[in-house]
Structures are given as C-alpha cells and as structure tokens.
Amino acid sequence: FMVKSDRALPYISANHRSTSLLNRLRMRILNVPLRPHPGRTISVRSWPSHVDSSGVMHFQPPSSPSSSTPLLPASQPPAPPAPPLIIPDVVILATGYTTSFPMLDHTYPSLSSASVRGIYDPCCPSVAFIGFVRPSIGAIPPLAELQAQLWVLRLLQHRGLVQRPAPRCRDAKNAVPGYEMDWQLHPRAGYDAWAEKRGVDHESYAYQLALDMGAAPTWRAVARRGGWRCAYTWAMGSNFNTKFRLVGPWRDEVVAQDIMRGELYEVVRRSGGLVF
C-alpha cells in the first residue's frame, strides 16, 4: 500500500529526488508543493537481522549497491551508505492488529468465508462484514457504503421483498449490464495484499458493486438527464458513490445530479480528471 501521509513524505523522499530536467518538469506539472524539511530526513530501512542484549540493531549489508541506492543523476552525489548498526533512542512497535470476532461462535460464518465480494457468505447472507476491505488508493467508508447497499439489496431480494428489474424496464435499460471485473489486488514481490490485508483496487471494486446492484448508469442515461456538467463529472471523475445514485435500487436522481453538477464538478474541473 502507498504511503499517504503528506507530512512524512517530504522527509522520506528528501534523499531520493532526482534533479534531472525531466523530473523537474514533471514536478512543476503534477506535484503538490513539498513541505520544507530543514536538514531533517526519514530513512527507510529493511527489517533488522537481530537486536542484541545491549539494544543495538544489526542490519544485513545490501546485496548490491542498486538495492539500497536510488538512481540519481551523475550531478547529484549519492546518499551515504546506511550504517550496519543502529542504537535507537526509542523503538515504536507498529504491529497493526488481527481482525477477529470473539463474540461469534463457530456456527457463524467467518471473514475468510465471505466470498461474495468480500462481504458475506452465500450460505449465510444474514451476516455481513462491512468495511473490511482496504483500497490501495481511496477511502474505506465510501466502499463500506456500497457494500452495505449491496448486502441490504440481496437480503431484500432473498426474502422476496424486492424483485430484480426486468430486462426491458426503464431502470434496466439505463444501467450497464453486470459483468466481472478484476478488483482484488494481485500478489507482488512475494506479498499477497488481498490475502493479508484484503486489498482491493478502489475504482474497480466500487464499479463492481455498482454493476452487481444495477446502479452503474450508461453514458446515454447520464447525457440525457444530467447535462454536460454531470456528464463531465461522470466521465472524468473517480468512482464517487454519487455516480451510482442516478439509476438502480438506491437512486435519488435529483440529489445526485445536483451534487455532480456542483461540488463534484468543481473537484474534477480543478484536476482536469487527470488525477483520477
């Protein structure tokens, strides 16, 4: 997962910034202003091989210069090699947490058995795990809202209180037919982000849930109803939850169009859609 702290990043990247003309041009176009770091940096190190009885941290030497030294232009001197020994003043163990539900006995489904979009077990749809996916870029609460919408819809359909729209009805014609997307993060460098952290791609996962609900509008439906501002926000913006309130079981067209033409349009207009 990406480091998203704008307070820490300037200190982490200080020794790794290229001064090439191409990178300086890229930074002028894309980068947000960097916070000043008056001589202070944050060094990122691998896990220590061991800590001895005196509290000294021992690190394995890098296997090759390229494994620890960033690629910098010839005009910029490389950072000094990291010391093999460190005597820390303070050690903070940020170990995270283990997700568990001790209040549920073995008769309940587990998080690992929630195979329907990572939300619930098809054998026991009355129990759902909402908010337990982690997007690589994006926030958990918007995805949790979409998860809750899909789960409640499936519960109502399971009990016969809500029927799936017929293929020729108005809602079905205005929604994109469902299909499968690749929304789980794939293993990289020996680390499986889905298995370890339930990592998902925010855009793909949000759209997958919308497809499952019949809440992803077609471009024709957006163009006919919302005007050019709404269409621009829909085409160039991220998968905001508001996009999926134009059609489908949770639609609220008036409110959704107003938000997309207003505050969301301003967000997308400032970025030109490129950031998303």
Side-chain angles (χ1 to χ4, degrees):
F1 294 94
M2 296 183 65
V3 178
K4 304 172 186 176
S5 171
D6 63 339
R7 294 180 180 273
L9 276 176
Y11 298 91
I12 295 175
S13 65
N15 291 330
H16 302 269
R17 298 175 196 159
S18 171
T19 57
S20 67
L21 176 62
L22 180 61
N23 190 61
R24 292 201 304 269
L25 179 62
R26 180 192 65 82
M27 291 177 65
R28 288 180 64 89
I29 297 173
L30 295 178
N31 266 28
V32 297
L34 293 174
R35 296 173 182 267
H37 57 95
R40 297 181 177 181
T41 61
I42 296 176
S43 298
V44 180
R45 297 293 302 271
S46 61
W47 197 254
S49 60
H50 66 283
V51 180
D52 63 27
S53 58
S54 300
V56 178
M57 287 185 172
H58 296 253
F59 294 86
Q60 293 287 353
S63 57
S64 64
S66 60
S67 63
S68 60
T69 305
L71 296 177
L72 299 173
S75 59
Q76 183 172 342
L85 304 177
I86 291 180
I87 304 177
D89 297 315
V90 177
V91 176
I92 301 174
L93 301 177
T95 58
Y97 60 90
T98 300
T99 303
S100 63
F101 305 91
M103 74 291 294
L104 303 179
D105 61 28
H106 68 279
T107 62
Y108 286 88
S110 64
L111 183 60
S112 60
S113 68
S115 58
V116 180
R117 309 305 184 204
I119 303 173
Y120 63 90
D121 187 327
C123 298
C124 186
S126 61
V127 178
F129 299 90
I130 305 296
F132 289 95
V133 297
R134 183 178 177 183
S136 56
I137 298 178
I140 294 175
L143 295 183
E145 179 186 348
L146 292 173
Q147 287 181 317
Q149 290 176 353
L150 176 62
W151 176 56
V152 171
L153 177 63
R154 290 292 183 261
L155 279 180
L156 296 176
Q157 290 172 340
H158 181 71
R159 297 182 180 183
L161 301 177
V162 173
Q163 301 296 325
R164 295 178 183 269
R168 295 187 178 182
C169 76
R170 174 173 173 265
D171 248 16
K173 290 181 179 179
N174 291 324
V176 178
Y179 60 90
E180 289 295 316
M181 298 192 67
D182 187 12
W183 48 269
Q184 294 182 1
L185 293 184
H186 294 283
R188 296 182 63 184
Y191 179 75
D192 191 337
W194 167 253
E196 297 291 335
K197 299 290 186 181
R198 300 179 67 78
V200 299
D201 177 79
H202 179 279
E203 297 299 281
S204 300
Y205 187 66
Y207 200 73
Q208 181 69 78
L209 298 181
L211 288 171
D212 294 343
M213 293 186 287
T218 64
W219 69 269
R220 290 186 178 88
V222 177
R224 283 197 308 266
R225 301 179 184 186
W228 72 269
R229 284 196 174 197
C230 187
Y232 180 82
T233 303
W234 173 83
M236 302 299 290
S238 179
N239 277 335
F240 308 113
N241 289 22
T242 313
K243 284 185 176 184
F244 310 126
R245 303 298 290 270
L246 295 171
V247 299
W250 304 100
R251 67 181 178 274
D252 193 338
E253 295 180 56
V254 175
V255 174
Q257 290 173 8
D258 184 59
I259 294 174
M260 291 182 68
R261 287 192 294 253
E263 58 184 285
L264 290 183
Y265 168 77
E266 293 300 325
V267 171
V268 179
R269 182 182 63 84
R270 287 197 300 269
S271 67
L274 297 177
V275 174
F276 304 101

